[in-house]
Amino acid sequence: MPYFDAASSLPPHPVAREALLAALDDGWADPGRLHRAGRRARMLLDAARETAAEAVGCRPDELTFTSSGTRALHTGIVGALAGRARAGRHLLVSAVEHSAVLHAADVHRNAGGTVAEIGVDRAGRVAPDDVAAALAAGPGPAALVCVQSANHEVGTRQPVVEIAEVCRAAGVPLLVDAAQSLPWEPVGGDWSVLTGSAHKWGGPGGVGLLVVRKGVRFAPPGPVDERESGRAPGFENIPAIVAAAASLRAVRQEAAAEAARLRELVDRIRARVPELVPDVEVVGDQEHRLPGIVTFSCLYVDGEALLHALDRGGFAVSSGSSCTSSTLTPSHVLRAMGVLSEGNVRVSLPPGTPAEEVERFLAVLPGTVAAVRDQLSPPPPVTVPAADGDALTVDSLGKLCPVPVIELARAIGQVRVGGVITVLSDDTAARLDIPAWCAMRGHEYLGESPVDVGPGTAYRVRRSA
Amino acid sequence: MPYFDAASSLPPHPVAREALLAALDDGWADPGRLHRAGRRARMLLDAARETAAEAVGCRPDELTFTSSGTRALHTGIVGALAGRARAGRHLLVSAVEHSAVLHAADVHRNAGGTVAEIGVDRAGRVAPDDVAAALAAGPGPAALVCVQSANHEVGTRQPVVEIAEVCRAAGVPLLVDAAQSLPWEPVGGDWSVLTGSAHKWGGPGGVGLLVVRKGVRFAPPGPVDERESGRAPGFENIPAIVAAAASLRAVRQEAAAEAARLRELVDRIRARVPELVPDVEVVGDQEHRLPGIVTFSCLYVDGEALLHALDRGGFAVSSGSSCTSSTLTPSHVLRAMGVLSEGNVRVSLPPGTPAEEVERFLAVLPGTVAAVRDQLSPPPPVTVPAADGDALTVDSLGKLCPVPVIELARAIGQVRVGGVITVLSDDTAARLDIPAWCAMRGHEYLGESPVDVGPGTAYRVRRSA
């Protein structure tokens, strides 16, 4: 069954599997012990650190193995903030960071720190000038800036080298979450802290990377011990670490050729999906993007239903952010980009994906979307025409995404060109999807206001054609 | 090469290896995903949780997999303290807890909380009455009590059931670090929080257990996500978790028979070592102890040198606590017990240790200790006789353990019975080892006082025979 959810997790690379097996025999002892078994474990750990550091482009003593990429982010952010506590308590994060960054930012805010989000354009890209402006805006001097190297939901790459220059000029450290790009290449530029996650490149679960450049002030949070430079307490999982380092080296050897190949496959999806499926928006940066990720959203479709239908059809994809797939709120990444969230599908191709699988996906997708759209036929919307026939109110209160947009689409024909539709909705996705629908269909979005009584929002749309 | 450091880490159990391999194929995907690969991973995770919960004796929804036993302790302690923040900020820990507990206690103290240590007897055992007294002593109501089920350095088991009753009567939760005993049996009694570590039972590294009983107030520290009930953020290492659960079940099936066998081997070491090696003290509780651990200390021997000599002789053992082996301070466990720390050796037999290996160890040990003792022949001590010939001062300032005790032993013959030796030492082990030496050799320890000028302590000993 084609697995197109590589950005979430990859099956173990053959090299990871081999290295893991080999290291099970020699890497189980405590590397802090002075006996032979301990020394053997220590040697494996040291060698893995050398290998990983070479792939990252750092000194081995700058690199710590953590128990996950999430843990690396939490420790990296809290540690860098604590190291800069005297300089200030203001944290800057891009609005499209991984939820682990946003969770760490929440903790910082709850502890009395301040946090500002740096916005992105419709392609999901952070502008270096916006970073400079946010650094200048305060309140007070910033302690840390967090910008990912590439986005996990839409694949957009960030201009990390330029952003690092801006941060360096301001004397503020930059933390780069490199989870998605590290399998492809080192992160350039003068960053201060960097994180990664092994299962994103075909390494085992349970291994993250935290790199803190020499000279960066850093105070690890919480209880620590003598392991991993005091930055990752607890017994090291050496077989998994060895497998992580070996597989990173292996995927890097294949990276350039595989990136070119996947990029072509993704180009094909980006071009064909809008031709094959009506009312689709492909999102993310056309040029600055990861090789294997493409994300699109389909009007009048429930993303989770489409995901289940594709799963039944033999394709494993994801919808929106991994961290919001089980919630009712739209992905914070799509929200920050201001693009359609309904019917959202992320296709992320693992290295080695055959072109035929992509063709088969393109063959299956149109019928699957159509079937999901057919299933979702809510009763006709409850509409209240205004006296002059030029305005109509659609009551979608209590209805979940994508129903409000479907009801809007059905009702628009009931007013004449120039007339105004007001949609009442208490679903959070409507705030994103109604303006996105207007942009896609060429109608004019007039804005929102609270409903007169009870919770909910009134969204106003002027029919343009 | 015989590996007698099981209490530190065990080689993977065959069942762990098999389960790990099998789960590599099915357990790599994100269990939070809705596609087939994700559901397969989720099923493996759920099954592992059922298995582990059965072995612990808890409900599956009370059990969280963490990235290490250390992480389980840190999260367990901080989470339980935060859950009880309204009741109080006073933490009670036994003086012989694992360093991970003491590190978490340090963090609590630095954050403004109070911590009290509950002492142990010479065998390393906590008395339930002492827990009751500590609970009554305050300051203020206690928020949490931490007592391990059995000690990692000397093998002494704690009366957890009775201690749990004392805590329950006081309305204070009890956290039990069960890392050393969990491979052998569930922890009885009405505890509130329990932790374990898979590599202690032959599971892989990177897996700890954190069990929080229903109804216990608990607030996990730091940034969390939706994984593992919000108690262990970051991508789950499912193959390792599956291997951990499967191997726990497997070792439990062999536990009763293997415990009886190892206990006999340890009985033999406990009996023979004092007969074979002069000036040895076997420490730890004679009766209430783990099956496979025995610890003894040898006068006039540097523990690290003995460990290296045994390693060259083919035996992997450890000396003192894993967390102090690279430092110059004696193990906090031996210090709390008030027993000799010099020349300390912990022998911890893995399941399956053949009796012949133990016999071979007993054959090699006496010569190895003798050789290490011979190597360590410091120049004659600098002594200053008093005018009346009844008192002598030994200046051991600037000399490391075990030299001060060796110099004391050499000098004792220079005063007549009833005479007093004063040893000046600035080595921290002397505070423990000089009184222990007096108890072993039958001399009277008179006490200590600061030296007149500079750092260091004067220890006074009366010759008794």
Side-chain angles (χ1 to χ4, degrees):
Chain A
M1 169 170 171
Y3 176 78
F4 288 173
D5 194 17
S8 158
S9 189
L10 276 180
H13 191 280
V15 166
R17 175 184 270 273
E18 262 173 57
L20 183 68
L21 272 180
L24 275 183
D25 290 330
D26 282 346
W28 51 268
D30 184 342
R33 293 289 173 183
L34 302 174
H35 46 58
R36 204 171 305 176
R39 288 194 303 272
R40 232 163 33 201
R42 164 66 56 190
M43 280 165 55
L44 286 178
L45 181 59
D46 289 346
R49 198 184 312 281
E50 292 267 354
T51 302
E54 199 187 324
V56 168
C58 68
R59 293 166 41 156
D61 59 354
E62 294 174 330
L63 186 147
T64 297
F65 293 109
T66 64
S67 59
S68 66
T70 293
R71 186 64 78 179
L73 279 172
H74 292 171
T75 301
I77 292 170
V78 180
L81 285 171
R84 291 265 300 170
R86 273 192 234 164
R89 300 200 67 191
H90 187 50
L91 170 64
L92 291 172
V93 301
S94 98
V96 295
E97 295 300 297
H98 190 273
S99 58
V101 172
L102 302 183
H103 292 152
D106 286 344
V107 169
H108 180 63
R109 197 186 281 112
N110 292 339
T114 55
V115 180
E117 286 194 359
I118 306 166
V120 294
D121 63 17
R122 257 187 88 82
R125 229 164 122 83
V126 176
D129 284 352
D130 288 351
V131 177
L135 282 167
L144 179 68
V145 176
C146 298
V147 177
Q148 62 194 184
S149 55
N151 186 264
H152 49 297
E153 284 190 50
V154 299
T156 299
R157 289 180 183 275
Q158 302 300 348
V160 170
V161 172
E162 293 78 2
I163 291 170
E165 276 170 24
V166 167
C167 292
R168 186 63 54 175
V172 178
L174 170 67
L175 181 148
V176 178
D177 168 8
Q180 292 294 336
S181 75
L182 211 53
W184 299 106
E185 74 271 313
V187 175
D190 198 5
W191 46 265
S192 297
V193 182
L194 179 142
T195 63
S197 177
H199 73 104
K200 305 289 189 191
W201 65 70
V207 183
L209 301 184
L210 170 62
V211 182
V212 181
R213 288 282 194 208
K214 284 286 154 200
V216 173
R217 284 177 183 275
F218 196 86
V224 295
D225 57 24
E226 76 285 7
R227 298 179 192 274
E228 291 298 302
S229 313
R231 289 174 184 164
F235 190 77
E236 299 93 342
N237 187 357
I238 292 178
I241 286 170
V242 167
S247 54
L248 179 55
R249 183 166 51 190
V251 299
R252 281 291 186 76
Q253 283 163 357
E254 308 149 359
E258 193 57 25
R261 210 179 61 82
L262 289 186
R263 204 175 161 91
E264 271 182 37
L265 294 180
V266 163
D267 281 341
R268 170 118 179 104
I269 299 174
R270 292 182 72 96
R272 289 295 286 154
V273 164
E275 295 166 4
L276 293 167
V277 181
D279 298 316
V280 157
E281 182 178 13
V282 177
V283 302
D285 199 286
Q286 175 86 22
E287 181 54 31
H288 303 101
R289 56 182 165 86
L290 292 167
I293 299 185
V294 49
T295 301
F296 52 86
S297 300
C298 309
L299 273 178
Y300 321 133
V301 168
D302 170 352
E304 202 160 301
L306 179 55
L307 190 152
H308 284 301
L310 284 168
D311 182 56
R312 283 192 299 275
F315 292 91
V317 300
S318 82
S319 178
S321 164
S322 58
C323 307
T324 53
S325 67
S326 58
T327 71
L328 293 173
T329 56
S331 141
H332 70 273
V333 172
L334 302 176
R335 200 169 59 221
M337 293 165 65
V339 296
L340 186 71
S341 78
E342 69 182 39
N344 179 259
V345 169
R346 178 186 70 186
V347 172
S348 52
L349 306 177
T353 301
E356 306 81 64
E357 283 190 359
V358 170
E359 291 308 318
R360 199 139 54 84
F361 176 74
L362 291 173
V364 162
L365 183 69
T368 310
V369 172
V372 172
R373 277 181 178 154
D374 280 351
Q375 277 169 18
L376 205 75
S377 50
V382 179
T383 56
V384 183
D388 60 1
D390 268 7
L392 193 68
T393 296
V394 178
D395 183 354
S396 294
L397 290 168
K399 297 171 185 169
L400 294 180
C401 161
V403 175
V405 172
I406 292 175
E407 296 193 337
L408 165 60
R410 284 193 187 183
I412 196 85
Q414 297 178 33
V415 297
R416 63 175 177 78
V417 170
V420 172
I421 300 251
T422 301
V423 182
L424 311 181
S425 172
D426 47 11
D427 183 71
T428 55
R431 177 158 293 122
L432 192 54
D433 290 341
I434 289 177
W437 178 86
C438 292
M440 289 172 73
R441 311 302 290 170
H443 297 294
E444 186 185 356
Y445 178 64
L446 297 175
E448 61 163 81
S449 55
V451 296
D452 293 338
V453 180
T457 304
Y459 301 92
R460 290 183 314 124
V461 174
R462 188 191 309 279
R463 180 174 172 187
S464 297
Chain B
M1 168 169 171
Y3 176 76
F4 289 173
D5 195 17
S8 158
S9 189
L10 276 180
H13 191 282
V15 166
R17 176 185 268 276
E18 261 173 57
L20 183 67
L21 272 181
L24 275 182
D25 290 330
D26 281 346
W28 51 266
D30 184 341
R33 293 290 172 182
L34 302 174
H35 47 58
R36 203 172 304 178
R39 288 195 303 273
R40 233 164 32 201
R42 164 65 58 189
M43 281 167 55
L44 285 178
L45 181 59
D46 289 347
R49 199 185 312 281
E50 291 268 354
T51 301
E54 200 187 323
V56 168
C58 68
R59 293 165 40 156
D61 60 354
E62 294 173 331
L63 187 147
T64 297
F65 292 109
T66 65
S67 59
S68 66
T70 292
R71 187 63 78 180
L73 280 171
H74 291 170
T75 302
I77 292 170
V78 180
L81 285 171
R84 292 265 298 170
R86 274 192 232 164
R89 300 201 65 190
H90 188 49
L91 170 65
L92 291 172
V93 300
S94 99
V96 295
E97 295 299 296
H98 190 274
S99 58
V101 172
L102 303 183
H103 291 153
D106 286 343
V107 169
H108 180 62
R109 196 186 281 113
N110 292 341
T114 56
V115 180
E117 286 194 359
I118 305 167
V120 295
D121 63 17
R122 258 189 87 80
R125 228 164 122 84
V126 176
D129 284 353
D130 288 352
V131 177
L135 283 168
L144 179 67
V145 176
C146 298
V147 177
Q148 61 195 185
S149 56
N151 186 265
H152 49 297
E153 284 191 49
V154 298
T156 300
R157 288 180 184 276
Q158 302 300 349
V160 170
V161 172
E162 293 79 2
I163 291 170
E165 277 170 23
V166 166
C167 292
R168 187 61 55 173
V172 178
L174 171 67
L175 180 148
V176 178
D177 168 10
Q180 292 294 335
S181 75
L182 212 53
W184 300 106
E185 74 271 314
V187 175
D190 198 5
W191 46 265
S192 297
V193 182
L194 180 142
T195 63
S197 176
H199 73 103
K200 305 289 190 191
W201 67 67
V207 183
L209 301 183
L210 170 61
V211 183
V212 181
R213 289 281 195 207
K214 284 284 154 202
V216 173
R217 284 177 182 276
F218 195 87
V224 296
D225 57 24
E226 78 283 8
R227 299 180 191 272
E228 291 298 301
S229 313
R231 288 175 184 162
F235 190 77
E236 299 93 342
N237 186 357
I238 292 178
I241 286 171
V242 167
S247 54
L248 179 55
R249 182 165 54 189
V251 298
R252 281 291 187 76
Q253 282 163 357
E254 308 149 359
E258 193 56 25
R261 211 180 63 80
L262 289 186
R263 203 174 162 90
E264 270 183 37
L265 294 180
V266 163
D267 280 343
R268 171 120 179 103
I269 299 174
R270 291 182 73 94
R272 288 296 285 155
V273 164
E275 295 167 4
L276 293 167
V277 181
D279 298 317
V280 158
E281 183 179 13
V282 177
V283 301
D285 200 286
Q286 176 85 22
E287 181 55 30
H288 304 101
R289 57 184 164 85
L290 292 166
I293 298 185
V294 49
T295 301
F296 52 86
S297 299
C298 309
L299 274 177
Y300 321 134
V301 169
D302 170 353
E304 203 160 301
L306 179 54
L307 191 152
H308 284 302
L310 284 168
D311 182 56
R312 283 192 301 274
F315 292 91
V317 300
S318 83
S319 178
S321 161
S322 58
C323 308
T324 53
S325 68
S326 58
T327 72
L328 294 172
T329 55
S331 139
H332 71 273
V333 171
L334 302 176
R335 200 169 60 221
M337 294 165 65
V339 296
L340 186 70
S341 77
E342 68 183 38
N344 179 257
V345 170
R346 177 185 71 185
V347 172
S348 52
L349 307 177
T353 302
E356 305 81 66
E357 283 191 358
V358 169
E359 291 308 319
R360 199 138 57 82
F361 176 74
L362 291 172
V364 162
L365 182 69
T368 310
V369 172
V372 172
R373 276 181 178 155
D374 280 352
Q375 278 169 17
L376 206 73
S377 49
V382 178
T383 56
V384 183
D388 60 1
D390 268 8
L392 193 67
T393 297
V394 178
D395 182 355
S396 294
L397 290 168
K399 296 170 186 171
L400 294 179
C401 162
V403 175
V405 172
I406 292 175
E407 295 194 338
L408 166 60
R410 283 193 188 182
I412 195 85
Q414 296 177 34
V415 298
R416 65 175 175 78
V417 171
V420 171
I421 301 251
T422 300
V423 182
L424 311 181
S425 172
D426 48 10
D427 183 70
T428 54
R431 178 160 291 122
L432 191 54
D433 291 341
I434 288 177
W437 179 87
C438 292
M440 289 173 73
R441 311 302 292 170
H443 298 293
E444 187 185 357
Y445 178 63
L446 297 174
E448 61 163 81
S449 55
V451 297
D452 293 338
V453 181
T457 304
Y459 300 92
R460 290 183 314 124
V461 175
R462 189 191 308 279
R463 180 176 172 186
S464 298

